[in-house]
Amino acid sequence: MDIPGMPRLTVVVPAYNESAVLAAFHERLSKVLDQLPLDCDVLYIDDGSRDDTWTIMQSLATADPRVGTLKLSRNFGKEAALTAGLDHVDADAAVVIDADLQDPPELIPQLVEQWRAGYDVVYATRSARAGETGFKRFTASAFYRAMEIMSDVAVPRDTGDFRLLSRRALAALSQLRERQRFMKGLFAWIGYRQTAVKYMRDPRLAGKTKWNYWRLTQLAIEGITSFSSAPLKLATWTGLAASVLAFLFGLKVLLKALLHGDPVPGYPSLMVVVLFLGGIQLLALGVIGEYLGRNYNETKQRPLYFIEEEHLPATRTT
Ligand code: UDP
Ligand code: MG
């Protein structure tokens, strides 16, 4: 299939402990890639898996010359694994897809179609979330709403990392080397012509999700602090409002004491004010701390990942 002049596409697949689905995933993906009028290859990134994901990747590479593999030196998290993969793409476009078959590979032709029509970022938007609880759906939608209100970039709703990136979008993304990587936000931030393709999101085929509410909360904080300083302003405004209220309340207390004397010391009101202000102060400190911590991480300028082993696809000429 190595016709000169044919556009090249690399599919980037981060995987962490995905031995249960990887073979099934590759089979479905291959069927799709076989149909595409493109010179395709696949790059699997083993994000420091503790099961035999890496062995399976090696056997996939042996069986299929289009397969390349990267092994990170430890588990760096999906964002870093993705970045490692995208850094190794030299094709005309890249598709980012999860290994657990929640993103249907069958959608890739539609993504490619939009790319051929001139779009730089084609993201897949899920129109239904099968196999997820109502509470998960609610929290996800609340998060997108909060992001929309607070940040300067509109992160598209109900969109995961499943998307296609053109060469110039890839080049732009590779310049964003921040350590705190909220990928959905970064994809949106680079701009260029972006469009959506709708699909139904399936429950994962096997294995279990690495996300729990703790990690999702961290991701939400990540998203907001990476793209918005609104919480800092909110802290300022809340502080200001609380001081104005406290001042008015102080005036009232003073007037009352002047007019009627002070027969009973105001223990309850004192407690209320002290606790309220104490709470606000701790909250504001916490918000500052979140930003400060991120600042600290960025200033260390550490690399985003380390590669232990690297086998680029045999079909790749460069
Ligand atoms: N993943 C990864 N490193 C991690 C966690 C996840 O490379 O530390 C990969 C995982 O193998 C899968 C994709 O990222 O291909 C999405 O992970 P998961 O299915 O756990 O997330 P969800 O679909 O629930 O958002
Ligand atoms: Mg998944």
Side-chain angles (χ1 to χ4, degrees):
M1 278 267 280
D2 214 5
I3 303 164
M6 190 148 69
R8 293 189 304 130
L9 175 79
T10 299
V11 180
V12 175
V13 192
Y16 176 56
N17 296 346
E18 298 287 5
S19 57
V21 285
L22 214 54
F25 171 81
H26 189 70
E27 203 183 311
R28 254 176 82 180
L29 180 68
S30 307
K31 280 201 194 106
V32 174
L33 297 186
D34 290 341
Q35 306 295 320
L36 277 176
L38 298 170
D39 186 2
C40 299
D41 52 45
V42 188
L43 189 56
Y44 286 104
I45 301 100
D46 177 10
D47 186 16
S49 298
R50 266 162 296 169
D51 60 2
D52 51 358
T53 298
W54 180 245
T55 325
I56 296 173
M57 284 182 182
Q58 293 314 296
S59 55
L60 289 178
T62 316
D64 188 342
R66 293 177 300 191
V67 173
T69 53
L70 278 186
K71 184 180 168 65
L72 302 191
S73 60
R74 65 168 172 85
N75 178 243
F76 280 94
K78 183 185 176 186
E79 278 71 28
L82 249 180
T83 307
L86 291 174
D87 285 346
H88 285 78
V89 172
D90 73 341
D92 300 299
V95 165
V96 172
I97 188 169
D98 284 1
D100 58 6
L101 286 171
Q102 273 186 298
D103 306 331
E106 290 74 24
L107 200 74
I108 294 176
Q110 288 182 52
L111 301 181
V112 168
E113 203 177 294
Q114 295 297 320
W115 168 50
R116 303 312 285 165
Y119 286 98
D120 290 285
V121 180
V122 189
Y123 49 86
T125 299
R126 43 192 179 242
S127 39
R129 285 188 155 211
E132 285 181 347
T133 59
F135 185 62
K136 170 99 184 263
R137 268 192 302 244
F138 169 76
T139 46
S141 118
F143 168 68
Y144 285 114
R145 201 157 301 156
M147 274 299 283
E148 259 163 44
I149 293 169
M150 286 199 267
S151 74
D152 319 326
V153 287
V155 173
R157 244 158 214 267
D158 292 331
T159 300
D161 291 332
F162 185 23
R163 66 191 65 216
L164 181 146
L165 300 157
S166 73
R167 190 190 267 279
R168 61 178 179 177
L170 279 166
L173 200 67
S174 70
Q175 288 181 44
L176 307 182
R177 303 313 287 181
E178 56 210 81
R179 263 115 279 260
Q180 251 80 45
R181 303 187 75 74
F182 180 65
M183 291 304 271
K184 291 178 218 193
L186 298 182
F187 288 138
W189 189 84
I190 58 169
Y192 293 117
R193 304 187 56 198
Q194 309 210 355
T195 190
V197 166
K198 279 209 163 33
Y199 76 108
M200 304 275 280
R201 184 154 165 101
D202 298 323
R204 58 171 25 251
L205 190 72
K208 59 176 191 301
T209 177
K210 280 97 205 168
W211 295 107
N212 51 39
Y213 276 105
W214 169 242
R215 286 186 78 171
L216 283 174
T217 311
Q218 283 182 316
L219 184 74
I221 293 180
E222 201 62 77
I224 288 165
T225 50
S226 300
F227 285 91
S228 163
S229 55
L232 287 173
K233 290 188 194 119
L234 190 72
T236 312
W237 289 109
T238 320
L240 204 64
S243 350
V244 170
L245 286 177
F247 178 73
L248 292 177
F249 184 66
L251 268 185
K252 188 192 147 201
V253 171
L254 194 69
L255 281 177
K256 213 172 124 191
L258 285 176
L259 294 176
H260 307 292
D262 189 14
V264 187
Y267 177 73
S269 55
L270 195 69
M271 264 332 256
V272 168
V273 171
V274 167
L275 289 178
F276 177 65
L277 284 184
I280 288 183
Q281 281 167 354
L282 279 182
L283 187 80
L285 265 181
V287 171
I288 294 170
E290 289 288 336
Y291 283 90
L292 190 67
R294 279 168 178 74
N295 222 323
Y296 169 63
N297 271 334
E298 294 299 336
T299 47
K300 281 188 288 195
Q301 293 285 320
R302 286 188 183 155
L304 298 176
Y305 55 83
F306 286 111
I307 289 172
E308 192 175 317
E309 258 186 77
E310 166 176 340
H311 308 281
L312 292 179
T315 51
R316 210 185 264 196
T317 39
T318 43

